[in-house]
Structure formats: structure tokens, C-alpha cells
């Protein structure tokens, strides 16, 4: 018998999709329509750098336009290729549908190692790539709205927004052409940490699901739970920072490009991140043991494993050795279809990517709405809310003194109750609500249907059902 073969990322996503639609009752034509990627645009462009022209290859893939604009990040990485971008665009369709962000799915990528270029060079390259996409409406507030992804962040989004504004001088909604911008360039409070926050809220909601916890063989709360994370980039850093600082989790392993750090007593995420920023890797960090073969640490005994880096890191070669009873996919596609099958058979519970990392696109949605409404969230209501609360507090205090009871409201309560919500609080509340509701919709299917054994299938079922409903509403 030949050894089992691993499929490509896109085949892996398609296979998971097929497994879910086999349990649904969709007309075959519609099933195919939803699965296939509508279009992928490839661009090769030259930029004059260091005295000579360098050619770059970029992609923007549109998976489904059942809702527009389509949405999804742009990544800068040497691993970018058409197969990957199409897989990621498909995941965006399912992700947006699951969390009810009113977008179709898209994804872009530029085949580049951003660390090889200085800031000025990166700006030239990013603006040129953006120019190519804007020209074809592949960046446009009402058609296609990119965001940060691996290797890109606020800075690149600001360049893209500015490039769009230069090319569309009369578009009053120009800022809504891209999300994940810095606050001073039309961004929204809380977007940078949104994906990591979403991972935290997802775990909190999972820990409220008694049956789910039982299936994973976990008990108690998040306090003291041992966490291993792969990748201390934007998502992994914020997720583990919040989980350790606010929920009492112990981060016992951090896997990075050059190796891993382990410490059974828990690592200080901020200290490790500062070390990486200074030294380019985790090697040499003083307060933990260093393990050169970082991938081995994925197999470490722990309660929660958070792959927050690349796709395909848990696959047929190592899935059977993964000991964590619970995996939360902070990255997109970290578990291959083959790896997923092995883990399912073992009873490992996987909180799937399309839900686990949806915090980013959720807050991107809020940012897009903010840009279109041209006003900061909370600007109209905040003081009015405060004055109404003040009325209640004054009345309670008057009643208490007039009746002679002499009750006093605790200052802590008063401060917290009186303060109206600012944009950050509203964003967090909207994100928390989104993550709870989406989890509950998956939970219902996971626990309620005998033919659904895992959360990923449940997530696909919920999301494909919604995409199918919008196609049906269009008469397709
Ligand atoms: N790149 C992120 C993702 O994979 C965010 C996408 C967005 O905000 O549009 O979900």
C-alpha cells in the first residue's frame, strides 16, 4: 500500500467542504457554484529598486460574490501562490458567512519576503501592487475590500488607502476601500488586536459549553490551563497575552521560526515578544529552555494548542502525536484534511479557523461601517448615556437620604456605571457578541445532529447554509 498523500491547501479546504455538503440537501449545481473560486487575477509588475528593475508576482482571488463587497486580507510571504490564495479566499467566504459579516470571500498575496526590503522600498512595492488592483476594481469600497494578513499590517493598509484616494479623488467613501488602517488614517479602535481577542472570546465561549468541554475531556475554567502557541505574530501574541493576563492561562510553550521556548511555570508573553523584536528569534531568551526543533513542541503535553502561524503544520506526519485535547486554529488552515481525520478519530476537539480567527474580519466589518458612516462609534450617544445614568444615580442617592436609610453607592460602581461606552468598548462588545452567537450556531449543530461529529463540519454546515440561502434569494 502506498503511503497516504497530503493534498494541497485548496484541495484540503474543498475536501472539508465536500464532507459537509454530503450531509446537506443542496442541488448539485448550487453545491458546485459555492465551492469553486470565481476568479483569480495574477499580476506581474516591475519596480525599480537599488538601480535595477525587480519583478514581483501578486494575486487577488475572489471566491464568492454572493455578497459584495468581497473581503479578505493581503499577505506578503514567499509561500504565496495561486493554490494558497484560492484556499484562503474560500475560507473567507465561509468565515464571513459564519459570523454574519455581509461580505463574499476574497484574498490577495504578494510573493515577497518583506524583511528583505526597507520601508521606502516596501512602500513603492505596495503602492504599485495596489495600483494594479485598484485599476481593475479589485480594491474598491463597494466591490473588494482588503485587510492585513501575514506580513502586512496598518502601515501597508495606510499606503493602500492613500493610493486608492489618489486614484479616486472624488470618491467620498474612499477610506472604506481597505480595513485595518491606523486610527489616524480612518481605522477603528481595537482592530490590531481583534483576531487575538476573537481567539480569547472563542475560548471563553467554548469553556461555557459543558458538553463541548466533556467531549474534549476538559474540566474547570481557563484559569491555570496550559497553552502552547505556534507563532508570536499579531494573532498569537495578542491571544496569548490576553489569555495569560486576563484569564489566568499558563503559556508553557512558544514556537517561533528559529525554535521554541518552554517553561512549565508559564512564559511572559510580552518579554518574549520584546526579545524576538530585538534578536529576530527566540534563541538565547534567558528565562526558559530553548528547543531547536520547534515543531516538536506542538506535540507537548498541554490543555490548549494554538497554531497561529502557517497552514499545514499539523498533518499526517505528526497528527497522531499531538497530545492537546483542544486545538484552536488561530491561523488559517493549520490542520490539513489528512491531519484533521487522524485527530477526529483520536477525539481531539478542534475549534476551526473559520470561526476561531474571525475576530479580524468582524472588526474589519465595523471599520468599514464606520468609514461609510463617516462618524466614530459612540460619538452621538456617549454623553447622553452618561447623563441618563447620572439621573439614576442622583435619584437613588436622593431616595436613600430622604428616606433616612443612608445607603451609599460604592465609588467603583458609580465610576463604572456612569461612564458611557467609547469606541473601543463598543467594538469589544460587538466582537464578543459575534463570537458568542457564531459559536452557539455551531454548537447547536455539533451537539444536535448525530451525523455531525466535529465543530469544523458544524461550522461548514452553518456557513454554507447561509451562503446557499443568499444564492436562493437571488433566484439562483
Ligand atoms: N486577513 C484576515 C483573515 O484572514 C482579516 C481579513 C479582513 O479583515 O478582511 O481573516
Amino acid at each position: 500500500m502506498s503511503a497516504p498523500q497530503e493534498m494541497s491547501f485548496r484541495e484540503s479546504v474543498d475536501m472539508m467542504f465536500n464532507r459537509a455538503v454530503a450531509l446537506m440537501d443542496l442541488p448539485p449545481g448550487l453545491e458546485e457554484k459555492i465551492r469553486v473560486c470565481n476568479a483569480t487575477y495574477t499580476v506581474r509588475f516591475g519596480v525599480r529598486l537599488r538601480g535595477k528593475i525587480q519583478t514581483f508576482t501578486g494575486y487577488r482571488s475572489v471566491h464568492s460574490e454572493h455578497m459584495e463587497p468581497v473581503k479578505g486580507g493581503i499577505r506578503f510571504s514567499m509561500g504565496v501562490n495561486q493554490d494558497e490564495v484560492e484556499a484562503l479566499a474560500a475560507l473567507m467566504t465561509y468565515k464571513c458567512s459564519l459570523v454574519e459579516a455581509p461580505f463574499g470571500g476574497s484574498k490577495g498575496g504578494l510573493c515577497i519576503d518583506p524583511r528583505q526590503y526597507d520601508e521606502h522600498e516596501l512602500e513603492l512595492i505596495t503602492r504599485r501592487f495596489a495600483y494594479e488592483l485598484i485599476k481593475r476594481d479589485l480594491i474598491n469600497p463597494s466591490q473588494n475590500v482588503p485587510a492585513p494578513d501575514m506580513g502586512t499590517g496598518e502601515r501597508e493598509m495606510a499606503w493602500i488607502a492613500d493610493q486608492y484616494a489618489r486614484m479616486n479623488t472624488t470618491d467620498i467613501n474612499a477610506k472604506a476601500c481597505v480595513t485595518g488602517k491606523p486610527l489616524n488614517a480612518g481605522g477603528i479602535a481595537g482592530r490590531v488586536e481583534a483576531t487575538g481577542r476573537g481567539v480569547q472570546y472563542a475560548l471563553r465561549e467554548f469553556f461555557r459549553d459543558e458538553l463541548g468541554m466533556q467531549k474534549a475531556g476538559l474540566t474547570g475554567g481557563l484559569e491555570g490551563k496550559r497553552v502552547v502557541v505556534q507563532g508570536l505574530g499579531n494573532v498569537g501574541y495578542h491571544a496569548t497575552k490576553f489569555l495569560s493576563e486576563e484569564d489566568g492561562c499558563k503559556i508553557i510553550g512558544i514556537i517561533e521560526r528559529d525554535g521554541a521556548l518552554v517553561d512549565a511555570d508559564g512564559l511572559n508573553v510580552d518579554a518574549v515578544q520584546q526579545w524576538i523584536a530585538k534578536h529576530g528569534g527566540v534563541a538565547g531568551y534567558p528565562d526558559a529552555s530553548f528547543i531547536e526543533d520547534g515543531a516538536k513542541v506542538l506535540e507537548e503535553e498541554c490543555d490548549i494548542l494554538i497554531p497561529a502561524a502557517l497552514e499545514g503544520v499539523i498533518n499526517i506526519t505528526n497528527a497522531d502525536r499531538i497530545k492537546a485535547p483542544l486545538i484552536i486554529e488561530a491561523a488559517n488552515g493549520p490542520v490539513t484534511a489528512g491531519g484533521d481525520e487522524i485527530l477526529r478519530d483520536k477525539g481531539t476537539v478542534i475549534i476551526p479557523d473559520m470561526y476561531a480567527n474571525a475576530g479580524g474580519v468582524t472588526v474589519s466589518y465595523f471599520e468599514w461601517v464606520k468609514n461609510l458612516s463617516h462618524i466614530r462609534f459612540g460619538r452621538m450617544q456617549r454623553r447622553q448615556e452618561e447623563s441618563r445614568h447620572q439621573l439614576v444615580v442622583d435619584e437613588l442617592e436622593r431616595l436613600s437620604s430622604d428616606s433616612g436609610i443612608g445607603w451609599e453607592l460604592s465609588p467603583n460602581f458609580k465610576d463604572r456605571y456612569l461612564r458611557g461606552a467609547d469606541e473601543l468598548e463598543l467594538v469589544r462588545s460587538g466582537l464578543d457578541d459575534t463570537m458568542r452567537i457564531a459559536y452557539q450556531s455551531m454548537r447547536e449543530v455539533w451537539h444536535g445532529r448525530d451525523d455531525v461529529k466535529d465543530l469544523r463540519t458544524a461550522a461548514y454546515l452553518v456557513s454554507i447554509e447561509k451562503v446557499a440561502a443568499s444564492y436562493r434569494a437571488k433566484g439562483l
Side-chain angles (χ1 to χ4, degrees):
M1 214 177 78
S2 61
Q5 287 283 308
E6 201 78 85
M7 39 187 104
S8 79
F9 187 10
R10 191 184 49 75
E11 286 165 344
S12 206
V13 171
D14 282 353
M15 156 122 177
M16 291 167 176
F17 173 93
N18 290 342
R19 214 157 46 79
V21 289
L23 306 174
M24 298 174 77
D25 198 18
L26 294 180
L30 183 56
E31 182 184 314
E32 165 95 356
K33 174 74 205 81
I34 297 174
R35 186 171 42 76
V36 297
C37 183
N38 287 5
T40 302
Y41 170 72
T42 308
V43 58
R44 294 180 190 86
F45 57 89
V47 183
R48 180 173 287 280
L49 299 169
R50 303 172 201 176
K52 65 174 198 309
I53 300 214
Q54 284 193 38
T55 304
F56 297 90
T57 305
Y59 305 88
R60 186 77 182 160
S61 176
V62 176
H63 174 260
S64 176
E65 291 149 292
H66 67 289
M67 284 196 188
E68 282 186 314
V70 293
K71 190 93 189 72
I74 289 183
R75 65 171 55 177
F76 284 4
S77 146
M78 286 309 283
V80 164
N81 57 55
Q82 182 166 346
D83 186 279
E84 182 194 62
V85 174
E86 291 187 356
L88 292 165
L91 280 175
M92 283 310 302
T93 298
Y94 310 135
K95 189 185 304 189
C96 290
S97 165
L98 182 67
V99 296
E100 300 188 330
F103 304 125
S106 182
K107 200 77 170 203
L110 187 64
C111 200
I112 184 180
D113 177 1
R115 283 166 305 174
Q116 302 305 320
Y117 299 90
D118 66 28
E119 188 164 19
H120 176 64
E121 291 170 330
L122 274 175
E123 178 171 353
L124 288 177
I125 300 164
T126 306
R127 281 185 183 274
R128 183 60 211 277
F129 184 32
Y131 169 83
E132 296 292 336
L133 298 180
I134 293 163
K135 211 162 68 164
R136 294 170 178 83
D137 288 334
L138 288 163
I139 296 178
N140 182 299
S142 54
Q143 290 192 35
N144 197 325
V145 182
D149 200 84
M150 196 186 288
T152 57
E154 290 188 320
R155 180 184 66 175
E156 287 73 16
M157 301 307 117
W159 291 331
I160 293 174
D162 184 65
Q163 186 66 32
Y164 180 88
R166 285 188 191 184
M167 293 166 69
N168 296 273
T169 48
T170 57
D171 186 344
I172 194 169
N173 292 321
K175 282 201 164 64
C177 76
V178 65
T179 58
K181 302 175 293 292
L183 247 186
N184 61 14
I188 192 168
R191 174 62 184 89
V192 175
E193 67 271 30
T195 316
R197 263 285 166 228
V199 171
Q200 176 195 33
Y201 290 163
L203 276 173
R204 285 184 180 173
E205 188 59 12
F206 178 82
F207 271 68
R208 287 185 205 110
D209 172 13
E210 268 176 43
L211 202 50
M213 290 283 285
Q214 253 175 43
K215 288 183 183 176
L218 287 166
T219 51
L222 279 164
E223 177 80 40
K225 290 287 179 289
R226 296 160 308 160
V227 173
V228 169
V229 66
Q230 183 190 39
L232 216 57
N234 179 36
V235 182
Y237 164 68
H238 284 109
T240 49
K241 176 180 166 68
F242 299 146
L243 285 168
S244 57
E245 288 176 3
E246 297 170 16
D247 298 289
C249 288
K250 259 200 286 186
I251 314 303
I252 61 158
I254 294 178
I255 308 166
E256 261 291 323
R257 249 183 280 264
D258 63 327
L261 297 175
V262 287
D263 181 353
D265 295 329
L267 292 145
N268 179 326
V269 177
D270 272 320
V272 175
Q273 201 230 16
Q274 278 157 25
W275 183 270
I276 298 172
K278 206 157 155 208
H279 301 90
V282 287
Y285 181 74
D287 299 320
S289 333
F290 175 70
I291 295 178
E292 205 170 324
D293 184 4
K296 271 272 155 235
V297 177
L298 289 168
E299 299 162 22
E300 192 82 4
E301 187 106 33
C302 64
D303 301 302
I304 305 169
L305 175 61
I306 314 184
L310 291 172
E311 54 255 19
V313 293
I314 300 173
N315 49 50
I316 51 175
T317 67
N318 62 355
D320 60 338
R321 291 196 302 275
I322 302 286
K323 296 188 196 67
L326 178 65
I327 299 177
I328 176 157
E329 297 182 328
N332 286 306
V335 179
T336 62
D340 191 63
E341 197 177 324
I342 296 169
L343 291 165
R344 250 183 299 129
D345 289 345
K346 280 206 323 178
T348 310
V349 171
I350 303 178
I351 305 181
D353 45 9
M354 77 172 75
Y355 167 68
N357 67 37
V361 76
T362 300
V363 177
S364 274
Y365 168 40
F366 302 153
E367 179 176 334
W368 180 73
V369 171
K370 173 185 181 180
N371 294 152
L372 294 179
S373 54
H374 299 265
I375 190 165
R376 182 180 80 234
F377 285 109
R379 182 162 177 181
M380 304 297 276
Q381 311 91 317
R382 186 174 177 188
R383 303 301 166 194
Q384 195 254 3
E385 193 187 335
E386 287 181 355
S387 54
R388 289 175 71 89
H389 286 184
Q390 186 70 56
L391 268 179
V392 174
V393 165
D394 290 348
E395 190 64 5
L396 276 175
E397 287 179 336
R398 187 191 62 76
L399 282 172
S400 156
S401 86
D402 284 5
S403 62
I405 298 177
W407 282 336
E408 241 176 73
L409 298 173
S410 59
N412 187 26
F413 165 82
K414 254 169 86 168
D415 289 348
R416 287 175 51 201
Y417 184 67
L418 284 176
R419 204 163 45 87
D422 61 10
E423 185 169 82
L424 183 60
E425 279 169 88
L426 292 169
V427 163
R428 283 191 188 157
S429 143
L431 176 59
D432 193 7
D433 189 53
T434 304
M435 297 308 289
R436 288 184 200 222
I437 289 179
Y439 183 82
Q440 286 156 17
S441 66
M442 296 189 299
R443 186 184 65 184
E444 210 171 289
V445 176
W446 185 31
H447 300 329
R449 279 181 65 157
D450 291 339
D451 56 351
V452 176
K453 305 268 183 262
D454 63 312
L455 268 172
R456 190 188 314 278
T457 309
Y460 270 101
L461 283 176
V462 173
S463 100
I464 297 168
E465 190 46 65
K466 289 189 189 150
V467 178
S470 67
Y471 273 115
R472 273 192 225 109
K474 286 183 175 179
L476 273 171

